[in-house]
Amino acid sequence: MEHPENDEAYKGLTVNQGIEQPSSVNPYLSQRKRPKRRRFSAGEYVEGIVKGDITVLSQAVTLVESLKPEHQALAQEVIEKCLPFSGSSIRVGISGVPGAGKSTSIDAFGLHVLDAYGGKLAVLAIDPSSERSKGSILGDKTRMEKLSVHPKAFIRPSPAAGSLGGVARKTRETIILCEAAGFDKIFVETVGVGQSETAVHSMVDFFLLIQLAGTGDELQGIKRGIMEMADGIIINKADGNNIEKAKLAASHFRNALHLFPAPESGWTPQVLTYSGFYAIGIKEIWDMVYQYIDFVKANGYFTYRRNEQAKYWMYETINEHLRDSFYNNPVISSMLGEAERDVLGGRATSFSAARRLLDTYFGEKRDGALSTE
Ligand code: GDP
């Protein structure tokens, strides 16, 4: 019957028998295992990266960010093999408090440098709070509307790895991978909260500090150390009826900079006003950055700073490793509580308690009694 539902016997309320299940269209399907995502060898990663394959680059960055020891070992091999292809970029740190206009500015800066100088741009980020907030807002693609769809731009949010040192190290390693993939301009974004600026400063050639014009006392809010790190201070939102205030703030910053000792680079940090939103004054900022690069390449400071940074990261990595090895050690972690109580209870001095823990760690490590890693 063509329309069984018209039959008298058919009632919508009765449960009709179902039809027999057809056999599988593809009888082999059930036998086939789901294909695993193929794991590349270090050589394959490097080959893909050097070819500029963004998918491979992204996967390699994920590997760098992974906490699994086997991923870490592979990541280190990839990074080491990428090293000879890296280094030939300009690395610019961009920092500012939330709301200073970092994402708006980076969008405008990115479009300008790609348009004016060609090449490829990677935007990375360092946000030590990203683990707490489960995902970083820095380097978030949705915040950089135009750049995120630009074919020559690669935007990667901050790794969520816990300690600032850990996050920063991963970003530094990602720089190497990006450079090997042909990115000749690297922006590293961070929030202006103090420590993360030091981390960014230790991996870039030029450190740009975004400021806002305030009520005239803006200088009080920013730490001297951070201002001293800046190779350029740029005052955003110099538009509409904010222009005069921005100019005034700029002159305050210029005066304040005079009070600091001359930077090692021999470069005099400049203060400029601009509007990221209306794209005013962007060219001047990048003329300044490139002028600086020419200046420090000519006087040797460019290479000097990069070498210092390479050394710094070697020691940082050693420090981090030693700290982790110490605190993650089961014997030590079982002793820490008591040591703390002894110090607080006046039964031991801070130094003697520390000494005891260190002696235990090194002594037993020497005897091989401690199971460390
Ligand atoms: P971030 O938190 O530092 O990344 O800051 P955003 O780029 O998200 O900008 C914060 C707010 O300031 C947004 O509402 C922007 O539209 C606004 N903003 C950013 N740049 C400018 C600018 O040059 N002029 C004006 N008037 N507003 C801006």
Side-chain angles (χ1 to χ4, degrees):
M1 192 184 288
E2 206 179 336
H3 289 286
E5 72 275 18
N6 293 334
D7 192 273
E8 288 214 335
Y10 184 88
K11 289 191 193 73
L13 289 175
T14 50
V15 177
N16 294 290
Q17 222 177 4
I19 58 158
E20 217 172 280
Q21 275 289 337
S23 59
S24 173
V25 179
N26 178 355
Y28 299 104
L29 201 65
S30 58
Q31 295 165 19
R32 216 178 64 189
K33 289 209 178 75
R34 281 187 92 226
K36 268 192 171 174
R37 205 169 93 182
R38 208 168 78 74
R39 279 274 292 279
F40 294 128
S41 68
E44 286 170 320
Y45 270 116
V46 178
E47 201 188 306
I49 291 170
V50 172
K51 266 198 295 195
D53 186 326
I54 295 297
T55 314
V56 179
L57 172 66
S58 300
Q59 285 176 15
V61 175
T62 306
L63 200 67
V64 166
E65 291 174 358
S66 168
L67 296 174
K68 287 194 183 148
E70 70 267 27
H71 288 173
Q72 271 306 305
L74 185 58
Q76 288 309 317
E77 207 183 326
V78 174
I79 294 161
E80 213 139 79
K81 288 197 160 87
C82 280
L83 261 182
F85 303 102
S86 72
S88 55
S89 72
I90 63 157
R91 307 167 181 169
V92 180
I94 299 172
S95 156
V97 294
K102 290 181 295 301
S103 37
T104 313
S105 304
I106 291 173
D107 213 25
F109 293 167
L111 291 183
H112 172 77
V113 293
L114 287 171
D115 186 43
Y117 301 95
K120 295 201 290 183
L121 166 71
V123 181
L124 312 175
I126 292 183
D127 180 4
S129 68
S130 60
E131 197 185 38
R132 249 176 294 134
S133 55
K134 290 283 169 250
S136 168
I137 54 155
L138 290 186
D140 185 347
K141 288 184 175 190
T142 55
R143 293 163 62 239
M144 296 159 198
E145 275 174 37
K146 298 190 198 90
L147 210 52
S148 61
V149 293
H150 197 293
K152 300 286 182 191
F154 174 69
I155 302 176
R156 183 88 189 186
S158 172
S163 74
L164 172 62
V167 175
R169 181 175 56 76
K170 286 163 201 282
T171 302
R172 182 171 155 86
E173 290 173 344
T174 301
I175 292 180
I176 294 169
L177 300 185
C178 290
E179 289 178 353
F183 288 88
D184 59 347
K185 296 163 190 67
I186 314 276
F187 291 175
V188 186
E189 177 190 12
T190 198
V191 187
V193 287
Q195 281 177 326
S196 58
E197 272 110 332
T198 314
V200 172
H201 184 254
S202 64
M203 61 179 81
V204 297
D205 305 313
F206 192 99
F207 189 76
L208 262 179
L209 184 61
I210 301 181
Q211 288 290 310
L212 292 177
T215 49
D217 57 4
E218 55 271 342
L219 290 179
Q220 290 169 9
I222 97 163
K223 292 200 192 75
R224 187 197 149 119
I226 294 171
M227 242 177 100
E228 263 177 293
M229 272 190 277
D231 299 297
I233 295 177
I234 51 175
I235 296 158
N236 191 18
K237 308 195 186 181
D239 46 51
N241 45 22
N242 206 27
I243 294 180
E244 287 311 314
K245 261 206 289 188
K247 280 189 184 154
L248 189 66
S251 72
H252 284 156
F253 277 109
R254 275 186 207 109
N255 289 339
L257 281 173
H258 281 310
L259 304 175
F260 296 154
E264 247 184 311
S265 58
W267 166 264
T268 312
Q270 292 179 22
V271 184
L272 300 173
T273 61
Y274 77 108
S275 166
F277 191 82
Y278 294 102
I280 304 167
I282 310 289
K283 180 181 180 297
E284 288 73 7
I285 292 173
W286 291 90
D287 285 352
M288 163 180 77
V289 174
Y290 277 87
Q291 211 186 332
Y292 167 89
I293 300 290
D294 287 345
F295 178 78
V296 291
K297 275 192 172 164
N299 73 5
Y301 183 77
F302 185 87
T303 311
Y304 168 80
R305 180 155 160 175
R306 285 213 172 170
N307 287 342
E308 286 297 302
Q309 291 173 341
K311 264 193 334 204
Y312 169 86
W313 282 101
M314 183 184 87
Y315 288 111
E316 266 300 297
T317 310
I318 293 172
N319 294 346
E320 196 186 320
H321 209 85
L322 287 176
R323 242 190 335 257
D324 286 352
S325 165
F326 180 81
Y327 286 110
N328 294 337
N329 188 285
V331 176
I332 295 300
S333 59
S334 72
M335 289 171 70
L336 280 173
E338 196 191 323
E340 220 178 82
R341 282 190 294 278
D342 284 348
V343 170
L344 294 177
R347 289 180 295 278
T349 65
S350 311
F351 305 105
S352 66
R355 191 79 248 168
R356 199 171 70 220
L357 288 163
L358 288 166
D359 284 347
T360 307
Y361 177 75
F362 287 115
E364 297 200 22
K365 208 167 164 51
R366 193 173 46 237
D367 302 341
L370 282 183
S371 58
T372 46
E373 274 78 34

